[in-house]
Amino acid sequence: MSEDPRSIVRRSTPPVSVSTPVVTPLQPSVVYASTDPDELDAQYEGRVRGFTYAREGHPNATVLAGKLAWLEGVDDSWGAGVVTGSGMGAIGAVLLGLLARGDHVVGGDQLYGRSHRLLSDDLRRLGFETTLADPTDAAGIEHAIRPDTKLILVETVSNPTLRVADIDGIAAVAARSGVSVVVDNTFTTPRALRPFEHGADIVVHSVTKMLAGHSDVTLGYAVANSTGTNAAIREAAVTWGFTPSPFDCWLAERGLHTFELRYDRAESTARQLADELAFLPGVEAILYPGRADHPDQARAMSLFGGRGGTMVGLRLDGGRDRANRFIRAASPIQFAPTLGDVSTLLSHPASSSHRGLTEAARSALGITEGFIRISVGLEDPDLLISELSRAVRA
Ligand SMILES: *Cc1c(COP(=O)(O)O)cnc(C)c1O
């Protein structure tokens, strides 16, 4: 019998090694042991660095945040931001960390479905007033700003019509009123746009999408351009329990190794695909920010440095029948409501992300029953284009 009071479970001795692993170790530990209360004091007071309890932070989240901060061009002096258990968790942490009673929020009027719901239902239920306005029109956003406005939340590119927000214009009107601009950079990613270079104060991501890239993790990220704001967002994430799992962070970090390659490949295919599909019979419109026929092409060119992104909107003539036929004919390209995966994915906004809107509201946005959103993946471009062209003709 052992006299060591620790059970077999904790009887672990790290292997002796003079060498170090090349890959970031996965550290699932929920709790971290300290030497004594003085050391714990030193840790809490920031004199030494360490971890205590995983909801407060853990090594895999710290490593991931550092990489995401680097991609977004975050200054070291601001802090690296916080990784959260989902993209909505990141947006939630920003709102819960920064809003106080009586604050008003301005949001884009074509936000991601859940963000739209957060602003139009949940925040109002909690007593915050919100106004939604068109983010392609900075004057309209300015008009929505009130003396009690605290934040403006916009997405760089709207889903699914891919309208491009006037980030520079919004940042300028917000700065005049002392309002913070929160940019959801999920669709564009730092490969096409670094919002801090255009006056954003806070950047949020659904890391679930292109950054992690393999549809096997749900994660978010929020970072601000000041230490104080970063601390407030982090506190909210920790208190409300938006902490990510170490394994998800590990997977996302692994995904980031190929992020730039994946982005560039998908974008180059998306551009070719948009140009090929545009001329097929039965195609009413192609929405791609890099094309001359896109309403915001000039802004896309200047904001994204010539990049057009990895998403293509395809409006087929005809109704639900036409969409059903196309999606069935396009299999094995999967019909699934996400984006940014290694595989090309089709989605049908009228029956998924925008099903909550009335038909009139949808058609005002150009989201017809024949509208298909294509998230372009990494398949062979020629094969993918011929497959989708065949499905359009079917
Ligand atoms: C998916 C998405 C979100 C939400 O992210 P989750 O990781 O699903 O919580 C927020 N904003 C945009 C633009 C998205 O595409």
Side-chain angles (χ1 to χ4, degrees):
M1 284 299 283
S2 154
E3 283 163 26
D4 188 329
R6 296 173 300 172
S7 74
I8 184 79
V9 181
R10 298 293 178 226
R11 186 183 290 274
S12 63
T13 318
V16 174
S17 173
V18 292
S19 50
T20 50
V22 171
V23 170
T24 306
L26 172 62
Q27 290 178 262
S29 191
V30 163
V31 74
Y32 291 80
S34 304
T35 316
D36 60 26
D38 280 352
E39 192 194 80
L40 208 52
D41 272 348
Q43 219 174 298
Y44 278 117
E45 286 157 19
R47 284 177 278 124
V48 297
R49 289 210 187 193
F51 297 93
T52 51
Y53 183 66
R55 183 166 36 69
E56 307 263 339
H58 54 71
N60 291 103
T62 302
V63 171
L64 178 59
K67 289 198 175 180
L68 294 170
W70 179 78
L71 281 172
E72 280 295 2
V74 169
D75 194 288
D76 283 344
S77 68
W78 303 343
V82 66
V83 177
T84 52
S86 68
M88 290 315 299
I91 296 168
V94 168
L95 297 176
L96 291 167
L98 304 183
L99 293 181
R101 190 160 72 171
D103 285 341
H104 169 251
V105 178
V106 175
D109 59 359
Q110 288 189 49
L111 294 172
Y112 177 74
R114 284 279 160 184
S115 303
H116 186 278
R117 183 168 150 169
L118 185 52
L119 263 60
S120 48
D121 297 350
D122 298 76
L123 281 188
R124 288 179 190 165
R125 176 172 54 79
L126 295 171
F128 296 100
E129 290 188 38
T130 62
T131 306
L132 303 183
D134 178 0
T136 65
D137 171 22
I141 294 279
E142 182 163 37
H143 188 70
I145 295 175
R146 317 191 314 202
D148 54 356
T149 304
K150 182 69 168 273
L151 298 173
I152 301 174
L153 170 65
V154 291
E155 291 169 6
T156 50
V157 172
S158 71
N159 176 37
T161 53
L162 309 178
R163 294 297 306 264
V164 180
D166 182 3
I167 305 286
D168 293 297
I170 293 170
V173 302
R176 282 204 288 276
S177 317
V179 176
S180 298
V181 178
V182 185
V183 173
D184 181 335
N185 198 24
T186 301
F187 268 53
T188 26
T189 80
R191 194 82 179 133
L193 179 75
R194 287 168 149 197
F196 289 123
E197 291 170 5
H198 295 268
D201 299 291
I202 298 166
V203 174
V204 294
H205 277 282
S206 171
V207 177
T208 312
K209 314 289 169 54
M210 181 66 77
L211 291 170
H214 296 70
S215 292
D216 52 10
V217 291
T218 305
L219 283 180
Y221 175 61
V223 63
N225 62 359
S226 88
T227 331
T229 310
N230 274 319
I233 297 170
R234 164 176 293 280
E235 286 302 316
V238 169
T239 303
W240 293 78
F242 301 154
T243 314
S245 122
F247 185 50
D248 283 353
C249 294
W250 187 89
L251 279 173
E253 191 216 337
R254 185 183 203 260
L256 278 183
H257 299 162
T258 54
F259 160 63
E260 294 178 335
L261 289 171
R262 286 186 285 103
Y263 186 92
D264 291 356
R265 161 77 169 216
E267 181 176 67
S268 136
T269 306
R271 182 180 297 276
Q272 290 174 57
L273 177 70
D275 289 342
E276 293 281 337
L277 295 186
F279 296 104
L280 294 182
V283 173
E284 215 170 74
I286 281 290
L287 302 176
Y288 186 68
R291 278 175 58 84
D293 58 3
H294 190 281
D296 305 320
Q297 194 226 12
R299 183 177 299 142
M301 287 296 113
S302 74
L303 266 183
F304 311 151
R307 289 179 174 274
T310 63
M311 306 292 289
V312 177
L314 164 65
R315 190 152 64 227
L316 295 167
D317 59 9
R320 176 65 68 91
D321 275 2
R322 185 76 175 85
N324 283 339
R325 249 188 303 135
F326 168 77
I327 287 167
R328 283 199 304 262
S331 77
I333 296 164
Q334 283 173 309
F335 173 50
T338 189
L339 64 123
D341 186 35
V342 286
S343 302
T344 296
L345 298 172
L346 305 176
S347 79
H348 182 247
S351 66
S352 55
S353 53
H354 292 68
R355 69 175 299 127
L357 300 186
T358 61
E359 181 139 15
R362 278 199 298 268
S363 81
L365 294 172
I367 305 170
T368 59
E369 280 289 344
F371 192 104
I372 311 287
R373 187 190 77 182
I374 307 170
S375 165
V376 177
L378 310 185
E379 297 87 346
D380 177 281
D382 294 336
L383 288 178
L384 180 74
I385 291 166
S386 76
E387 191 75 30
L388 288 170
S389 304
R390 193 186 48 68
V392 168
R393 290 199 190 88

